[in-house]
Amino acid sequence: MPDYPFAPTWCPGCGNFAIWAALKNGIATTGVPSEKFAIFYDVGCAGDMADFNTYYGFHTLHGRALPTAVGAKLANHDLKVIVVIGDGGCYGEGGTHFINLMRGNHDITVLVHNNHRYSLTTGQMSPTTEKGTKTKSTPEGSIEEAQNPIALAVSNHATFVAREFAPDIARLASRITQGIKHGGFALIDILQPCPIFNPVQSPNWYRERLVKLEDEGHSSENLEAAWKQSMRTDKLPIGLFFQESKPAYHEQVTELQDLPLVKHPIETVNLTNLLKEFK
Ligand code: SF4
């Protein structure tokens, strides 16, 4: 890859540095040439990564990295498609898109930088902020219950559901490789420290609460067990909650079975009958 176009502008201690490193390592480990990747970035501190990467990609509107990625995948399903997005963009503005990507089993790896805040806009509450938390937009404590993205994914047909911790770079990189190779929709919800607008959920705060699913005897083939792990309140499990193999969306579209859409010879498209319908 060529040199990076710009140096990162993230704050010192930001978990985005670790996710950035894990993403690059995770991609390299797949063995797939980097020009075969397309990354779609949402708005937010996470999406600023668009300026620091040299993969093909697109910096989209807020919440719209998800449907834009679907369009790219359907146009050229030879691409490995990744979404880089925050908890606000994925579970808030893009919430309905998120559910529909899971329902369709679109072959896209979604990396959610979950810092429990809208940090680019200086620390308002997000869909994953714990109830009662004081933020800039909730000075007396937030009233809404926090969303549970793992439970949401497990109950909405996601075929790969994982949660990891940003500072564990090697472990996260390996999970990203696994998600890219999955062959269907893959959610990796990444617990990302934001020392500026969420100093309470620091790396040490997380380390006191995390447990690894593999140490708990969890089977990622067991949907009911995945649901139970997703609903735990005593500890914060990380690892692979659930995985199953099902045909991806593009594999079920007849027109895409022989060739990606971008490789269809344009001269074989006969528009005569279609145009007649509009006369
Ligand atoms: Fe990272 Fe938080 Fe700074 Fe954004 S505000 S760059 S999430 S530390």
Side-chain angles (χ1 to χ4, degrees):
M1 298 295 289
D3 288 342
Y4 300 109
F6 300 103
T9 49
W10 296 311
C11 314
C14 177
N16 280 320
F17 286 102
I19 301 173
W20 186 44
L23 173 62
K24 289 183 286 180
N25 285 334
I27 285 176
T29 309
T30 62
V32 177
S34 55
E35 63 268 22
K36 286 283 185 186
F37 283 84
I39 305 183
F40 294 82
Y41 306 88
D42 208 74
V43 168
C45 293
D48 284 355
M49 200 193 288
D51 295 336
F52 322 139
N53 275 343
T54 52
Y55 305 99
Y56 291 122
F58 197 88
H59 203 167
T60 73
L61 298 177
H62 210 183
R64 312 304 173 218
L66 298 161
T68 313
V70 169
K73 185 71 189 184
L74 292 181
N76 185 1
H77 61 255
D78 274 350
L79 289 173
K80 296 285 185 191
V81 176
I82 296 173
V83 170
V84 168
I85 191 167
D87 43 305
C90 192
Y91 307 136
E93 285 81 1
T96 309
H97 299 308
F98 174 57
I99 289 172
N100 287 329
L101 260 68
M102 294 191 282
R103 291 175 52 230
N105 196 29
H106 290 275
D107 181 14
I108 291 169
T109 306
V110 178
L111 307 181
V112 183
H113 300 219
N114 186 355
N115 61 7
H116 307 89
R117 293 291 185 279
Y118 284 98
S119 287
L120 191 70
T121 49
T122 68
Q124 294 78 16
M125 71 167 285
S126 81
T128 56
T129 304
E130 285 301 322
K131 184 177 179 180
T133 305
K134 291 185 178 177
T135 69
K136 274 201 175 166
S137 59
T138 55
E140 296 181 4
S142 58
I143 294 169
E144 292 101 325
E145 299 284 353
Q147 223 182 78
N148 181 335
I150 301 297
L152 190 66
V154 165
S155 58
N156 276 281
H157 311 282
T159 53
F160 184 104
V161 184
R163 177 163 58 205
E164 294 297 348
F165 179 45
D168 288 351
I169 296 175
R171 180 183 168 95
L172 175 58
S174 145
R175 194 68 69 201
I176 291 172
T177 303
Q178 194 182 13
I180 292 168
K181 290 181 171 177
H182 167 60
F185 179 88
L187 168 69
I188 307 177
D189 182 78
I190 306 166
L191 301 169
Q192 180 230 314
C194 167
I196 305 301
F197 295 113
N198 187 0
V200 171
Q201 289 174 305
S202 65
N204 283 342
W205 184 95
Y206 279 117
R207 289 195 193 283
E208 284 165 12
R209 290 162 178 80
L210 295 178
V211 289
K212 294 176 180 162
L213 285 171
E214 60 271 25
D215 294 341
E216 305 273 299
H218 175 68
S219 164
S220 59
E221 295 172 4
N222 186 332
L223 185 64
E224 194 178 332
W227 171 261
K228 283 184 182 158
Q229 288 289 354
S230 77
M231 296 300 286
R232 280 179 71 170
T233 52
D234 60 323
K235 286 286 179 185
L236 200 43
I238 55 171
L240 183 59
F241 286 75
F242 183 67
Q243 184 174 18
E244 69 175 333
S245 179
K246 284 203 305 201
Y249 188 99
H250 69 270
E251 292 170 328
Q252 300 173 73
V253 178
T254 310
E255 290 78 7
L256 302 181
Q257 277 167 8
D258 295 331
L259 277 175
L261 199 56
V262 290
K263 292 188 179 159
H264 280 243
I266 198 85
E267 63 271 16
T268 64
V269 178
N270 186 345
L271 297 177
T272 309
N273 290 336
L274 178 65
L275 290 174
K276 274 183 193 164
E277 291 179 24
F278 293 95
K279 282 186 177 168

